[in-house]
Amino acid sequence: MTTKGKKIEIIRKIVSLENEQLIDKVDDLLKGEIATLKARRPGWGKGMINAISDDFDDFTSPGFLNE
């Protein structure tokens, strides 16, 4: 699909949106396109992993550690 075709398809989807929150999110995304990319900062991923299995360290793949 061409870039123009992709844009038309996205516009059709946006026009059909009924959920106000989704419309706001799309608007925020489009506003963010203008903003410059920010460098990663420590702590941005905090809270992404909710739990780690108790047996997480029980198995080490062969070749992972040089013994």
Side-chain angles (χ1 to χ4, degrees):
M1 180 181 286
T2 66
T3 301
K4 185 176 180 177
K6 289 178 185 179
K7 289 179 182 181
I8 291 171
E9 184 63 29
I10 291 170
I11 291 168
R12 285 183 184 145
K13 290 177 182 179
I14 292 171
V15 168
S16 67
L17 286 177
E18 298 292 331
N19 185 319
E20 190 72 28
Q21 288 177 329
L22 286 176
I23 294 169
D24 291 340
K25 286 182 181 183
V26 170
D27 188 40
D28 291 342
L29 285 171
L30 293 174
K31 287 177 185 173
E33 180 180 351
I34 298 168
T36 59
L37 294 176
K38 298 179 183 176
R40 293 184 291 170
R41 288 186 273 166
W44 276 14
K46 187 175 182 178
M48 291 180 65
I49 298 174
N50 298 326
I52 296 176
S53 174
D54 292 336
D55 64 349
F56 179 78
D57 289 327
D58 290 350
F59 176 75
T60 303
S61 300
F64 185 72
L65 297 174
N66 294 330
E67 295 181 35

